[in-house]
Each structure stands twice: as structure tokens, then as C-alpha cells.
Amino acid sequence: MSGSHGRSVRRRTFVLGATAAAGSAALAGTARAAAFGWSDDGSNYVVDTGADLVFKVSKTNGDLTSLVHRGTEYQGYGGMNSHIESGLGTSTVSLTQSGSTILISVAYGTLRHYYAARSGENNVYLWTNKADTSVSATRYILRVKKGLFLNDEPDSYTYAPTAVEASDVFAKSDGQTRSKHYSRLRVTDYDYVGWSGGGVGLWIVRSNHEKASGGPFYRSLLRHQSADGGGLYEILYYGQNQTEAQRFGLQGPYVIALTDGGAPSSALFPGTLTTPWADSLGMSGYVGASGRGKVAGVGISGRNTAYPYTVGLANSAAQYWGSARASDGYFSIGGVLPGTYTLTVFKGELAVYTGSVTVTAGGTTTLNTIAIPSSNDPGNASAIWRIGDWNGTPSGFKNADLMTYAHPSDVRAASWTGNVVVGNNETASFPCYLWKDVNSGILVYFKLTAAQAAAAHTLRIGVTTAYANGRPQITVNDTWTSAIPSPPTQPSTRSLTNGSYRGNNHTFTYSVPASAWKTDTGQYNVLRIDVVSGSGATGYLSAGTAVDAIDLLT
């Protein structure tokens, strides 16, 4: 296999392996002699965009059966087409042309799926309307033929023949792990995923995810490549470590974009793409710009400016988010469907404020400065010592960065065991995850002054998610043990082993009496943290939890 790979991170924009001079390539490639239009070959609708792209859609089931760019077929691996989920089955497929736009409509039960082409563009625009649970439709997968692009990134199956967990986590011969789950990226971090090589870039530009679930910090599979080809995904709903119920309705457009090797045009990015040409196409559930509103906030006070802040909007029907300006907290979120939403302000990924906002079609809801109460941010509390930062993530802890693109058993992971001494690089020494069967019973050593040892204190452990109801129970100096806390609501699926620490942030508090402390100021106090649960399996699938911060309050 030859070539290179590429992807964008929206707020840290870069393209790996793409042709440097190409930058953001134009929407259309070099013009071709063929005219824009369509034909029927008996089995498929055949669409020629009039640029460098010809694609086919099955008249039987709505599969994308061919994707030819400059004479090269890109669609297909393992004898499979590209499609919703694993294919819809027999469907009603129709085509209409309106001037410079061709729309192919696919109806399968209550589900509606659409492909659109525009004259002179090397793009395929897609929408999917999942109305209910009667049809399993949680993704669109673009299946790419093998040999066209090389990708040995951590989100790849390439050269990883040994199964580590289930049928979706594998290990290479050198001990590095690979899985389609391991993408490093949260939804808010990227606009597109794909590959480039040989003067061609093939990308999926994501939608705004208004009908997806999990919020801006959610992680899901984005792409993979294996011995028989590669897959690029647009996730419509993903159940792994999911924190929200599934939303229904029209999602899109998301775009299959082919370029001269560079990144797709920023004009296709979510929040940038405008599609007034789609207003009259009659797609089920479609709401144009005039039927949407906007929320704008003049600022956010009470922020810790060392952290980024994000504002999210969510209700049962839709979700949106936007970044708060670092200087004053100003934010603007457009393209919002009418309705009443819960507004959440996140410090990093930690919710520090919630409110309510109503959006109307064609209107802008302007909010006065949002004041975050000091008590809402646990990082504002005065502490004797603190391990980690209260930001809703395990960042800074041992192995934290690696766990977004590797299995805990990966050879690159530092030992999950080992004691921690406050004042001696304690955060980097403390493991980001704790498991009942792996490193339960970790010890934290710290000293107290005479005055501190004479008083009761509150100890807090913040977690970002948990698997199999894993939660911390503490023991101090082998003389005082806390009660077993009740488990908070967390996702029921795998999390810590599939690249995601994001669940429902929760803080456990423990009231430690003065009698538990050692009064000799020269001696270390010893905190033991055990993971307790009656659920889970063994090893890295035993009950576990991800750590946000630990502190002992004054």
C-alpha cells in the first residue's frame, strides 16, 4: 500500500500527509468534458457531476455502489458497498433533478436517506432522517478500496493481527494496540476525516451533529483501515459510552469530498456550509436557515482564564455548542432549531453553570453576562493538596493522553500501579484510570501540619466516567474507612478500553474525622483508594473509573 493519511482538527487545524501546497482545495477539481447529468444503467442511478466525479446509487437498496474520481474507483472493500449501517435492504429509490442539483431519495420503512450532487463539484452531499427505533441506522460508512491510501495511525487496524478485546481491539507484534474506536478526537475537535495520496484526497466532512447525541466532547469511531480496505464514518448515533438518549430527525448534510490531495474546502465545514439550494428539494424533516434561530451571549464572568470554555445547548430534539471567547466569554451559536434548551457552560469538559434559553425561528436570543458562581467550580475551593485539575478530564494523569488512542494493555502505557507522594510529581504519577482487578488499593502519601491534623477535613474524588459501577472507597491510615458510596448514573457500555473517558462527571465527597490523621507532623498520612463494585469482569474489563481530580480541603 502507498500514499499518506490526513485529517483536520478544527481548533488546531492541520492536515497530516496531505499535499502541502494544496491547502484547502477548491470545491471542484479540473473540469471534465462530460456534462452534468444522470442516467439509469438498469441497476443504478449514475450521476456525473460534470467535474471529475461519477457515482452510482443502487435502485434496489440505496447503497453507494461506485465512486469514480478521474477514472479511479474508490468505492468498495471486502465486496461491500457504502451505505447506512450495514445496508438497508430493499428500498424505494427515486431521482429528481432541479436545475444544477440532482437528488436521489431512499425510503426504507420510516427512514429516509438522500444523496445530492451539484453541477461542477466533486462532492456528494448526504442527509439521513431516522424517525424512530424501527430501523437500525447509526452510521453511514464509506467503504474505500484497499491499496489506495496507507494509514497506520492509531485508529487503524493495519498490521494488528492479534485480538486483545472483543472483536474490535487488536495488537501489533510490537505490543501497540489498534482499534476503529481510537481516534484521539472529540466531535468538537474535527471537521473532516479521511486520507490523501497520489494527488487525491478523499474525505468525509461531518455534519453539525444536531441530531447526534453526547455533546461536543463525545468520542466515537471515525475511520479505520484494514487489510481489505478502509472505512470513513459519519456517526448518526453511537451507543458506546453514550451519555444521552438517541435523538431522531434529519441529520446533515455531511459530505463525501474529493480533492486534488489537499484538505476539503472550509466552505463545507459544519457551521460554515450554507445550502439554500436544498431548501426546495422536499427532504423529510428539512429546516432551512429561515426556520432557525441564534443564541448570543455578551460574556461569561467568573471564569478561570487558564481554561477554555464551551457553551452547549441541548434538549431531547437537538444539540449545539460554541466556544466562548477567551478575552470576555462572548459566544454565538447559530443555525439552532426553535425550542427551549438547557444551556450549559463547560470549563474544559466540566459543567460549571446550567440555565435555560428559548430559540425562535428567524430570531436572535441575546443573553446578558452569565455569572458563574464561585462555588460551582470545585477548583475554587481552598485545598491542603490537590492532585490533577478540576476540568472534567483526566488530563495530566499518568497515561491519560495515550488512553484516547490505545488500549490500557498497550506496551506504551506506564505501569498502572505504584504509590503516589504529594509534592513529588503527584499528578503525573497517579494513574488516570483505576480498576478493581488492576490497581485498586493505590496509596497516596501526604503530610499535615499540627493544625491540619487537629481538624476534620473533606476529601473529594472527581470522576469523569465509570465502568460496571466502579466507584472509590477510601481508607485513611488503616484506621478509618469510608462507607461504600452509591454509584452515580454512568453509561453501561465499555468506556475505559475503547478510547473514551467521557461519561457523567461526578464528585464523591468523604468527611474524614480528625481522629483519622497522624498527629506527628514528620510522619506521612496514607490514603488508600479502592475500587468497589459487584459488577464487571476481570482485568481491564473489571469495574473501573476515570479520575478528574482528588483533593483534601482546608
Side-chain angles (χ1 to χ4, degrees):
M1 301 177 72
S2 63
S4 59
H5 58 274
R7 75 167 160 241
S8 162
V9 176
R10 186 168 193 174
R11 289 172 180 80
R12 296 177 286 118
T13 302
F14 60 94
V15 178
L16 298 177
T19 305
S24 294
L27 295 184
T30 305
R32 299 186 333 115
F36 174 72
W38 65 276
S39 60
D40 183 339
D41 70 3
S43 300
N44 306 276
Y45 289 119
V46 183
V47 178
D48 192 320
T49 66
D52 296 308
L53 178 64
V54 178
F55 67 92
K56 297 181 181 181
V57 175
S58 168
K59 294 166 56 182
T60 301
N61 57 21
D63 283 4
L64 182 70
T65 60
S66 176
L67 188 73
V68 175
H69 179 257
R70 295 178 180 169
T72 298
E73 176 67 76
Y74 286 86
Q75 198 296 125
Y77 71 76
M80 294 180 285
N81 296 323
S82 300
H83 40 220
I84 287 291
E85 199 59 20
S86 296
L88 294 177
T90 302
S91 305
T92 300
V93 184
S94 59
L95 181 148
T96 58
Q97 181 172 350
S98 176
S100 59
T101 301
I102 292 172
L103 180 73
I104 298 176
S105 303
V106 182
Y108 179 80
T110 61
L111 184 137
R112 300 292 181 268
H113 180 67
Y114 304 95
Y115 300 88
R118 297 277 290 162
S119 178
E121 296 186 12
N122 288 319
N123 305 312
V124 183
Y125 298 85
L126 302 95
W127 288 262
T128 304
N129 188 337
K130 182 178 179 181
D132 52 44
T133 59
S134 64
V135 178
S136 175
T138 59
R139 68 179 182 181
Y140 187 91
I141 178 170
L142 176 64
R143 302 185 188 274
V144 182
K145 291 180 67 174
K146 68 178 180 179
L148 298 174
F149 304 104
L150 174 65
N151 176 27
D152 194 27
E153 278 296 283
D155 56 347
S156 169
Y157 287 126
T158 307
Y159 313 127
T162 304
V164 172
E165 183 178 294
S167 59
D168 55 10
V169 182
F170 301 89
K172 295 171 61 176
S173 59
D174 62 3
Q176 292 190 16
T177 52
R178 298 289 190 266
S179 174
K180 62 184 179 182
H181 299 292
Y182 300 155
S183 67
R184 300 178 189 246
L185 303 177
R186 309 167 302 174
V187 175
T188 192
D189 292 330
Y190 72 95
D191 291 309
Y192 58 90
V193 293
W195 301 291
S196 68
V200 175
L202 177 58
W203 319 95
I204 281 189
V205 183
R206 72 166 175 87
S207 70
N208 68 353
H209 277 223
E210 70 179 1
K211 295 296 184 178
S213 297
F217 313 122
Y218 190 68
R219 299 173 189 267
S220 65
L221 58 98
L222 301 180
R223 67 179 183 178
H224 76 269
Q225 194 154 349
S226 56
D228 57 355
L232 300 178
Y233 298 88
E234 166 71 348
I235 297 300
L236 309 176
Y237 175 77
Y238 194 52
Q240 289 282 345
N241 206 35
Q242 182 57 253
T243 58
E244 294 183 300
Q246 186 170 184
R247 294 182 171 94
F248 300 104
L250 186 69
Q251 183 159 296
Y254 47 104
V255 187
I256 299 171
L258 287 115
T259 72
D260 293 335
S265 169
S266 59
L268 298 175
F269 293 175
T272 302
L273 177 63
T274 59
T275 56
W277 50 267
D279 291 358
S280 60
L281 296 180
M283 291 183 289
S284 173
Y286 180 87
V287 180
S290 63
R292 297 170 177 269
K294 179 179 179 180
V295 176
V298 300
I300 303 172
S301 64
R303 294 174 298 123
N304 182 333
T305 56
Y307 299 89
Y309 282 72
T310 301
V311 179
L313 306 177
N315 62 20
S316 61
Q319 61 172 8
Y320 308 91
W321 58 84
S323 297
R325 193 161 61 194
S327 60
D328 55 9
Y330 167 84
F331 63 91
S332 179
I333 305 172
V336 180
L337 292 171
T340 298
Y341 294 84
T342 297
L343 181 151
T344 304
V345 178
F346 297 92
K347 168 196 173 187
E349 296 185 17
L350 183 66
V352 292
Y353 175 90
T354 57
S356 180
V357 63
T358 298
V359 179
T360 58
T364 297
T365 302
T366 303
L367 303 177
N368 294 325
T369 297
I370 294 173
I372 302 174
S374 178
S375 59
N376 283 19
D377 183 349
N380 290 334
S382 180
I384 296 172
W385 53 259
R386 177 169 291 144
I387 303 175
D389 296 321
W390 289 95
N391 62 5
T393 81
S395 60
F397 286 97
K398 183 166 61 175
N399 294 328
D401 180 63
L402 179 66
M403 288 302 96
T404 63
Y405 61 93
H407 190 268
S409 64
D410 195 288
V411 67
R412 293 167 291 179
S415 173
W416 289 103
T417 59
N419 300 327
V420 177
V421 179
V422 173
N424 185 21
N425 204 23
E426 62 271 15
T427 299
S429 300
F430 198 101
C432 62
Y433 297 163
L434 299 173
W435 290 273
K436 183 178 180 180
D437 204 34
V438 175
N439 56 354
S440 182
I442 191 168
L443 303 180
V444 179
Y445 292 83
F446 60 96
K447 293 182 178 181
L448 297 176
T449 66
Q452 291 167 343
H457 296 288
T458 296
L459 186 134
R460 304 184 299 183
I461 300 178
V463 302
T464 66
T465 194
Y467 175 68
N469 288 330
R471 65 267 196 201
Q473 182 183 31
I474 68 169
T475 298
V476 177
N477 293 323
D478 288 329
T479 61
W480 180 87
T481 300
S482 72
I484 297 175
S486 298
T489 300
Q490 296 289 2
S492 59
T493 62
R494 287 180 300 163
S495 53
L496 308 182
T497 60
N498 69 0
S500 178
Y501 57 77
R502 178 71 183 168
N504 295 311
N505 292 103
H506 181 80
T507 301
F508 295 94
T509 60
Y510 309 85
S511 299
V512 184
S515 59
W517 311 122
K518 292 184 177 180
T519 57
D520 185 342
T521 58
Q523 286 188 304
Y524 279 106
N525 288 271
V526 183
L527 167 69
R528 189 176 80 234
I529 304 175
D530 293 294
V531 177
V532 294
S533 177
S535 305
T538 60
Y540 297 111
L541 290 178
S542 64
T545 192
V547 182
D548 180 8
I550 305 170
D551 56 21
L552 184 67
L553 302 185
T554 57

